[in-house]
Amino acid sequence: MVLKPTRREAVALLAAAAFCPRVAAAAGVRGLDAIARAKGMRFGSAVSANPRTGSFDNPAYAALLRADCGLLVAENEMKWQHVAPAPGRLNFAAFDRMLDWSDRNGMAMRGHNLVWQRRKWMPAWLEAHDFGGRPATEAARILTGHVEGVTRRYGTRVQSYDVVNEAVTPDTGALEETALSQAMGGTEATIDLAFRTARAAAPHAELVYNDYMSWEPGNAKHRAGVLRLLEGFRRRDVPVDALGLQSHLVTSGPDGSQGLLASQEEWRRFLDAVTAMGYRLLITELDVRDNGLPVEAGARDRGVADYARAYLDVTLSYPRLRDVVAWGMTDRFSWIEDFEPRPDKAPRRPCPYDDQFRAKPLRDAIAAALAAAPERAA
Ligand code: G3I
């Protein structure tokens, strides 16, 4: 479905056209994915299937994706809640359409996610399911059926999956429980089975554990819990290839940089430990919550860009990291506005482009960080 753009969107489309690869190349502006590819990396974004949100059905948004992205991820449409809204009812239509679009436009598509280890984000029917007299067997049947169903449906068209998302409780570092994992006899058993099933059904695919432990102060227990989980995978020989660093960054203090130095050191220690275990890294959901920064847009955008640049410089210095994915390209459609508005009610500015689809300092910061990153071996 292609919608006729509104007047506002038409203006935005013109702005975005400055970033269409052909026009942009003539103007000397290179797309983010092109800059990344020159270093052996890729750049991409989340996308949705709803034409009134960050969808390729919105022509202005499609122009941004074509200009800057070589890799996409469905913001919601592959989640278990979405593809299995009721027992026995499957709904792959939205993701099918997204994958067709990414194929037609020569972009890869990541799979997000097969199991979201949080009760709130599992299918409600599964949380209320009667697992019967042999609960572990029934839970294993449902879990393997889901993982096999999705991975076999898409075959080699999807080369990388967030197999398990957010299994660690940030405040304690302990593992989260869901009805499924309780029936299985524990979270580790559930997670391990999800990865083993994914490897058997999609042997071509990169299998990722994805979480939002970050570098900001207050994340120490979360990071420690993730490290324990990753160590456990290696001990139990669970097929996990990479850690997804969601990278929902949060500034603090009037210039955004409060605590930055300590954050950098702790973050390096964390990434050193993860890569020493042989895991690859991906940035899977990059955006910035502009907490503490002044309301004035110019100062806010600079603070966000400087903060992201510092984060990317440290994180991209690890050659095991090859993919950088933004959680949406424009402020217009960012999830943050609905989930965590600013206390002063000023609209959030978390993405590389503003709500009129104009490039912001954050886009420049990402471009500069990619350009400055060490080249990855072929
Ligand atoms: O599509 C329905 C619509 O029919 C309904 O009228 C409306 C009413 O609330 O809801 C719509 O669904 C919303 C959906 O986004 C699509 O817009 C859900 O309520 C809303 O909860 C859902 O939020 C998503 C959230 O994950 C939960 O799935 C956000 O868009 C998405 O950005 C967010 O993404 C997560 C990653 O998957 C994991 N990491 C954190 C990240 C940010 O929270």
Side-chain angles (χ1 to χ4, degrees):
M1 172 177 37
V2 176
L3 296 184
K4 192 168 180 295
T6 61
R7 193 166 172 280
R8 193 164 175 236
E9 283 167 351
V11 171
L13 182 56
L14 285 176
F19 285 88
C20 106
R22 213 156 29 91
V23 180
V29 180
R30 298 179 68 215
L32 294 175
D33 187 57
I35 300 170
R37 298 257 173 186
K39 293 299 174 85
M41 291 186 280
R42 299 186 294 183
F43 179 84
S45 172
V47 60
S48 106
N50 178 343
R52 290 292 162 213
T53 60
S55 160
F56 47 77
D57 291 322
N58 177 326
Y61 199 70
L64 283 191
L65 298 176
R66 287 199 186 95
D68 270 338
C69 298
L71 174 64
L72 300 177
V73 63
E75 186 170 355
N76 291 301
E77 292 77 358
M78 191 191 260
K79 292 172 182 172
W80 199 340
Q81 274 186 343
H82 192 102
V83 299
R89 208 177 103 214
L90 295 177
N91 174 19
F92 287 106
F95 190 78
D96 286 356
R97 212 164 62 78
M98 297 171 92
L99 191 52
D100 287 346
W101 192 87
S102 70
D103 279 352
R104 275 202 310 282
N105 286 276
M107 299 177 197
M109 174 71 91
R110 300 200 62 241
H112 172 82
N113 52 60
L114 297 176
V115 178
W116 191 340
Q117 189 59 26
R118 296 288 165 104
R119 289 184 190 280
K120 184 176 179 191
W121 303 120
M122 286 292 270
W125 62 264
L126 189 50
E127 283 301 300
H129 186 68
D130 176 2
F131 288 90
R134 299 178 61 200
T137 309
E138 170 68 350
R141 183 190 67 79
I142 294 174
L143 178 64
T144 53
H146 171 65
V147 172
E148 286 171 355
V150 176
T151 53
R152 290 200 177 135
R153 180 179 183 89
Y154 297 113
T156 53
R157 295 173 79 196
V158 174
Q159 293 278 341
S160 175
Y161 283 96
D162 294 333
V163 177
V164 176
N165 191 46
E166 300 173 10
V168 175
T169 309
D171 294 345
T172 62
L175 293 179
E176 292 276 328
E177 288 283 3
T178 63
L180 185 80
S181 66
Q182 279 171 337
M184 278 285 299
T187 303
E188 281 181 357
T190 311
I191 299 177
D192 293 1
L193 183 62
F195 278 104
R196 293 201 164 107
T197 307
R199 173 70 12 113
H204 61 276
E206 171 185 64
L207 305 184
V208 178
Y209 172 73
N210 191 48
D211 209 333
Y212 60 89
M213 67 290 126
S214 191
W215 74 341
E216 285 90 11
N219 277 261
K221 288 200 170 133
H222 199 173
R223 286 192 300 264
V226 169
L227 284 182
R228 276 196 300 277
L229 183 63
L230 297 179
E231 283 157 10
F233 289 151
R234 288 301 184 240
R235 261 198 323 274
R236 301 191 299 276
D237 205 19
V238 182
V240 183
D241 302 312
L243 174 65
L245 313 168
Q246 291 190 5
S247 311
H248 294 293
L249 306 178
V250 189
T251 63
S252 63
D255 71 351
S257 67
Q258 204 166 286
L260 204 58
L261 213 60
S263 302
Q264 285 173 351
E265 284 162 19
E266 296 203 9
W267 190 237
R268 275 189 199 285
R269 272 201 292 277
F270 175 71
L271 297 180
D272 286 346
V274 174
T275 51
M277 286 186 262
Y279 292 103
R280 298 197 289 268
L281 301 168
L282 302 81
I283 291 179
T284 51
E285 307 184 14
L286 178 67
D287 56 23
V288 187
R289 251 165 289 172
D290 48 17
N291 288 4
L293 289 170
V295 66
E296 196 264 314
R300 206 144 40 107
D301 288 350
R302 275 192 303 282
V304 162
D306 290 349
Y307 189 79
R309 176 73 200 266
Y311 174 80
L312 290 171
D313 281 349
V314 175
T315 310
L316 300 189
S317 74
Y318 288 78
R320 300 204 70 125
L321 190 151
R322 286 177 181 252
D323 288 334
V324 178
V325 179
W327 207 238
M329 294 298 281
T330 102
D331 297 340
R332 172 101 67 99
F333 306 126
S334 170
W335 68 285
I336 296 174
E337 197 56 43
D338 288 338
F339 281 71
E340 200 187 310
R342 269 175 71 100
D344 62 13
K345 304 281 184 283
R348 291 279 192 183
R349 301 179 66 83
C351 297
Y353 290 81
D354 73 8
D355 63 354
Q356 299 297 307
F357 295 58
R358 291 173 302 217
K360 288 165 41 193
L362 177 57
R363 185 191 180 278
D364 299 338
I366 296 170
L370 290 168
E375 197 169 327
R376 275 60 174 154

